[in-house]
Amino acid sequence: MEFRDVVARRRMVRNYDPDRPVPPEIVDELLQHAIHAPSAGFSQGWAFLVLDTPASVAEFWAATTPPAAGPPDNWLRGMRSAPVIIVPLSCKDAYLDRYAEPDKGWTDRDESRWPVPYWYIDAGMASLMMLLTAVDNGLGACFFGIPPARVDAFRAAFDVPGSYTPIGAITVGYRAPDRRSPSLRRGRRGVDEVVHRTRFTPR
C-alpha cells in the first residue's frame, strides 16, 4: 500500500472479527516497526506487553474494566472482540539515566531539565508506528487509555514493574462492521486552520 493511502485509511477501529486471528508474523512486524520510532538520546525507554491468547486478552479486560461497569456497552463489546492487545509501556528512568551519561553533558537525573516528558512522547510515536503498520497489513487497530483507577490492577495482573507506565493499549484485529465515532461529526480541521507561518499571530 502507498504510504499516503496508509495515512488516509488510518482510523480507530472499535469492532473486530473474533473468528480471524492475527498471524504471528504480522504481530512481529508491528513490534519491529515500533522499535524504529525515534527516541530522545536513543534511550528506547519503552516496552510492549503482547496479549495474544484468549486467556490473556480476557484477563486484560477483567483487570482494566471497573467492576461496577455492568454489562458491556457496544464500544466495550466490540473492543473485546479483538484477538490481540499490545500495551506500550514507558520507562522514565531510562531517559533520566541516559541523559546523566557523559556524552549528554548533564550531571544529574533532574527531571526539571526536560521541557516535555519525552518518555511518553516516544512511546506514543512507537504506538503510531504500530497503528500504521496494522493498516498496511489490512488490519484495524485502536489506541485507547487504561482508566487511572485500574492501572494498579493491570500491573498486578501482568506483573508490570512500577518503573514502567502503560501509556494506553492497542487492540488489533481484522475489521468488522462498526459504528464510526460520533466525534467525527466535528470534522477534520484543515491545514489552514492549524498551520501558522513565520509567527503564530501576525503583527
Side-chain angles (χ1 to χ4, degrees):
M1 191 181 297
E2 292 287 338
F3 181 70
R4 61 175 59 88
D5 295 328
V6 171
V7 173
R9 294 183 186 185
R10 192 223 55 78
R11 71 176 182 86
M12 297 302 187
V13 174
R14 299 171 175 84
N15 194 29
Y16 304 88
D17 184 343
D19 298 321
R20 293 188 69 187
V22 178
E25 59 270 21
I26 295 182
V27 176
D28 290 344
E29 185 177 341
L30 298 177
L31 300 165
Q32 284 291 336
H33 288 186
I35 64 172
H36 281 271
S39 69
F42 214 39
S43 302
Q44 305 169 79
W46 47 46
F48 306 96
L49 177 65
V50 179
L51 309 174
D52 56 1
T53 66
S56 63
V57 169
E59 190 173 10
F60 172 86
W61 291 116
T64 60
T65 304
D73 58 17
N74 288 336
W75 180 89
L76 186 55
R77 189 177 300 109
M79 293 289 277
R80 282 182 172 177
S81 65
V84 175
I85 300 174
I86 300 175
V87 183
L89 302 146
S90 171
C91 180
K92 176 171 65 176
D93 287 342
Y95 289 78
L96 301 184
D97 291 343
R98 171 71 185 100
Y99 275 76
E101 294 177 9
D103 65 308
K104 286 301 178 185
W106 294 354
T107 58
D108 55 42
R109 301 172 73 256
D110 186 357
E111 187 176 339
S112 68
R113 296 179 185 276
W114 292 81
V116 292
Y118 275 87
W119 36 94
Y120 298 140
I121 291 172
D122 293 350
M125 291 191 198
S127 299
L128 181 57
M129 296 288 272
M130 289 189 279
L131 294 177
L132 295 175
T133 302
V135 174
D136 193 43
N137 281 280
L139 285 90
C142 183
F143 181 94
F144 61 100
I146 295 175
R150 305 302 302 171
V151 169
D152 286 346
F154 163 78
R155 289 185 190 280
F158 297 102
D159 300 320
V160 176
S163 56
Y164 282 86
T165 300
I167 67 158
I170 302 171
T171 46
V172 183
Y174 288 95
R175 297 183 182 198
D178 68 341
R179 182 176 62 91
R180 294 174 72 86
S181 170
S183 299
L184 294 175
R185 298 193 191 106
R186 293 168 54 88
R188 191 180 305 281
R189 297 177 68 191
V191 171
D192 290 343
E193 295 181 86
V194 299
V195 174
H196 305 264
R197 302 186 187 276
T198 307
R199 50 178 50 88
F200 197 95
T201 304
R203 292 179 180 173

